Amino acid sequence: MELDMAADELKSVLNRLRRAQGQIAGIIKMIEEGRDCEDVITQLAAVSRALDRAGFAIIATGLQHCMAEGGQAAGDRDAMRARLEKLFLSLA
């Protein structure tokens, strides 16, 4: 399955990932500085949520494309549905 996203969808996902990248750099710095464990875990949870949201946005786009391509053979639709479900569950 190709990552075929509209420019605005792609920009949103990239922004989420860049924000998560910055948060990860901040977490590394916090650990290096010996910051409080609770603060580090709070930031790790925030990064995890940001990554999940990016993944869900990508999967949702895949679902939209599958629904738009209603002319596919039943076997193709079933295989795509199974692949998307597996991807979705990998984030759950």
Side-chain angles (χ1 to χ4, degrees), residues 1-5 60-81 83-84:
M1 174 173 45
E2 289 182 28
L3 184 57
D4 184 20
M5 301 177 79
T61 299
L63 288 170
Q64 283 179 321
H65 289 285
C66 287
M67 289 174 17
E69 297 173 6
Q72 291 179 334
D76 291 342
R77 281 195 310 267
D78 291 343
M80 180 60 75
R81 182 189 164 279
R83 288 172 60 197
L84 288 168

Side-chain angles (χ1 to χ4, degrees), residues 15-86:
N15 285 341
R16 287 180 193 271
L17 292 173
R18 285 187 182 105
R19 192 168 30 250
Q21 184 179 32
Q23 287 175 300
I24 290 170
I27 292 167
I28 291 169
K29 186 175 178 183
M30 289 172 73
I31 292 170
E32 291 172 343
E33 293 173 351
R35 296 276 300 273
D36 181 66
C37 178
E38 187 174 339
D39 293 340
V40 171
I41 297 301
T42 299
Q43 290 304 309
L44 282 171
V47 168
S48 180
R49 285 190 304 273
L51 292 173
D52 286 346
R53 285 187 201 113
F56 288 134
I58 291 169
I59 292 170
T61 299
L63 288 170
Q64 283 179 321
H65 289 285
C66 287
M67 289 174 17
E69 297 173 6
Q72 291 179 334
D76 291 342
R77 281 195 310 267
D78 291 343
M80 180 60 75
R81 182 189 164 279
R83 288 172 60 197
L84 288 168
E85 183 177 338
K86 182 178 178 181

